Amino acid sequence: MSSLFSLPDDVVLNCLVRVPERCYGNISCVSKRLRSLVLSPELHRLRSLLYKDSIYLYCFNKERVSFQWFTLCRSEETTTDQYQLVPLALPSCKMISSSSTVVVGSKIYFIGGYFTPLSVIRILDTRSGKLTRGPSMNVACTHETAAVGVVDRNIYVIRRCFGEDENQVVEVFDPDHSQTWEFASEEIVQSLEKKVHAMDFGVDRIGGFYKLREGRLRKTMERKGDRPICVCVVESVLFAYFRTGGLMWFDTKLNAWTRLVTSDEVLTLEGEFCNVVMSKYDGKLAVFWPGYEIIGYMKEVWCRLISLESVGDIVYGTIDWSGVVATIPVASTFLHCLTVS
């Protein structure tokens, strides 16, 4: 830290802009100079240039059996920050509705699904708007027996994750270079032990939490009777919305879920809780949920943008914006909520 103090302000600002915003509270306590830089308009200007996130929501209308993509945009009709969901003319189909989804850059990868073997990959390029078939994995397996995620821009699929006596297979896909599926080496698997977690959305309503240890996912905890409705990661912190527990974050040191609060207020949602979806958005947590039915067999879609701050080992949330972003048919439900760079 002493070497940081010897650097010019513009260099320190370029370092701070790459630090998760939730850590600024702790950084402000180090010195008056750092507190001044954290609060400076220049840092916020640099962050606005750094972050170029776009949120994509995939919606299914059960009555019309149709699918629709939306993206979150700032409204240009007002001088204050207002947001709205804008329909997108992107490819949609039943085959990707239940797929496991990951994002690398501007591309969305749909892996397997209830209607497709896990080895089948589809890739949506959000810039060109094209949906293409990707290279198949080496080993086919069912959707329920695999965990899918991205580490250092590489896509990993861990199959037979939850069986203690089953052989585990880890395949990795490098979208930037080889663009082929390969079996992960033992060294690579060991390097993931501190980076990989998984959650089980079991029908028994037990939210199992797993940690990769010794090349295998091992159960570390479960939240009985209250499985998560949705999960996402923001600035390396895992968040989940539980049916009865509400919005929570996972404390890896205590190996336990903790409610996300702002001051003394618990962050709760009003409306339908069974279809909450969320993702990161410019370093914030963006939460979407349907409100109650309104006239004309329609319902409002609410959005809440929450800034995150770390104070010691605790994560706090501050509601930056909350409001209605769209009106959709009552029979509609959200299937995917993704952040694309």
Side-chain angles (χ1 to χ4, degrees):
M1 183 64 71
S2 59
S3 60
L4 185 65
F5 292 138
S6 63
L7 298 175
D9 283 355
D10 58 338
V11 177
V12 177
L13 283 169
N14 276 284
C15 295
L16 291 176
V17 77
R18 289 163 174 81
V19 176
E21 192 173 6
R22 64 181 178 82
C23 298
Y24 286 171
N26 289 337
I27 294 175
S28 297
C29 299
V30 176
S31 69
K32 291 183 178 179
R33 181 192 178 200
L34 287 179
R35 184 183 304 115
S36 175
L37 291 177
V38 165
L39 297 175
S40 68
E42 179 63 14
L43 178 61
H44 295 283
R45 186 189 72 82
L46 291 173
R47 288 188 67 87
S48 68
L49 297 176
L50 178 66
Y51 287 105
K52 297 296 180 182
D53 287 343
S54 297
I55 288 184
Y56 287 75
L57 285 90
Y58 194 48
C59 188
F60 172 54
N61 187 323
K62 291 178 285 188
E63 284 188 353
R64 296 186 177 182
V65 193
S66 61
F67 301 88
Q68 177 68 61
W69 283 100
F70 293 91
T71 188
L72 184 68
C73 297
R74 280 189 173 93
S75 176
E76 299 180 355
E77 298 178 356
T78 61
T79 56
T80 58
D81 278 346
Q82 296 290 330
Y83 297 85
Q84 59 184 348
L85 285 179
V86 178
L88 293 173
L90 291 176
S92 58
C93 64
K94 181 179 181 181
M95 306 303 288
I96 65 175
S97 61
S98 61
S99 300
S100 295
T101 56
V102 293
V103 177
V104 180
S106 61
K107 295 181 179 180
I108 303 173
Y109 294 79
F110 301 92
I111 303 174
Y114 297 119
F115 311 104
T116 309
L118 185 65
S119 58
V120 175
I121 313 299
R122 288 180 173 82
I123 305 171
L124 175 60
D125 188 330
T126 57
R127 293 179 180 175
S128 66
K130 294 182 179 180
L131 180 66
T132 58
R133 177 78 174 261
S136 297
M137 289 171 28
N138 295 299
V139 178
C141 59
T142 61
H143 174 80
E144 291 81 5
T145 58
V148 181
V150 175
V151 178
D152 298 330
R153 292 185 63 87
N154 289 329
I155 301 173
Y156 289 85
V157 175
I158 308 174
R159 62 186 298 265
R160 294 181 180 175
C161 306
F162 309 119
E164 292 291 337
D165 299 323
E166 296 180 5
N167 294 326
Q168 182 167 275
V169 177
V170 180
E171 292 197 46
V172 57
F173 180 77
D174 184 349
D176 297 325
H177 300 97
S178 66
Q179 296 187 354
T180 58
W181 287 97
E182 299 178 359
F183 293 108
S185 64
E186 183 177 348
E187 291 77 15
I188 292 178
V189 173
Q190 290 177 353
S191 70
L192 296 177
E193 290 191 9
K194 295 183 179 180
K195 299 180 180 179
V196 173
H197 295 78
M199 291 194 66
D200 178 17
F201 290 79
V203 294
D204 56 0
R205 296 182 181 275
I206 296 178
F209 192 85
Y210 297 80
K211 173 69 175 169
L212 187 63
R213 294 175 179 172
E214 300 174 356
R216 182 183 300 276
L217 284 173
R218 304 288 189 180
K219 181 174 286 190
T220 61
M221 67 86 67
E222 61 186 21
R223 183 177 173 83
K224 294 186 176 180
D226 188 13
R227 69 172 180 171
I229 297 174
C230 62
V231 297
C232 77
V233 176
V234 181
E235 307 289 7
S236 301
V237 177
L238 179 65
F239 295 88
Y241 191 85
F242 290 89
R243 189 177 300 273
T244 59
L247 191 55
M248 310 185 80
W249 63 279
F250 189 76
D251 189 326
T252 55
K253 292 184 178 180
L254 299 178
N255 196 37
W257 289 101
T258 303
R259 287 179 182 268
L260 182 66
V261 298
T262 172
S263 299
D264 296 326
E265 177 186 357
V266 177
L267 294 174
T268 58
L269 312 179
E270 296 182 1
E272 301 177 17
F273 307 132
C274 59
N275 191 214
V276 179
V277 292
M278 56 189 184
S279 187
K280 67 173 183 177
Y281 182 69
D282 290 348
K284 300 179 176 63
L285 179 64
V287 185
F288 300 87
W289 74 98
Y292 298 112
E293 180 179 346
I294 59 177
I295 299 175
Y297 301 99
M298 303 290 285
K299 59 184 176 184
E300 296 173 327
V301 176
W302 283 79
C303 173
R304 183 167 290 169
L305 300 179
I306 303 171
S307 291
L308 306 168
E309 180 183 9
S310 294
V311 179
D313 294 330
I314 305 298
V315 179
Y316 291 94
T318 300
I319 301 174
D320 285 350
W321 186 87
S322 184
V324 175
V325 291
T327 302
I328 59 176
V330 170
S332 299
T333 183
F334 291 120
L335 301 178
H336 300 303
C337 183
L338 307 158
T339 300
V340 177
S341 300

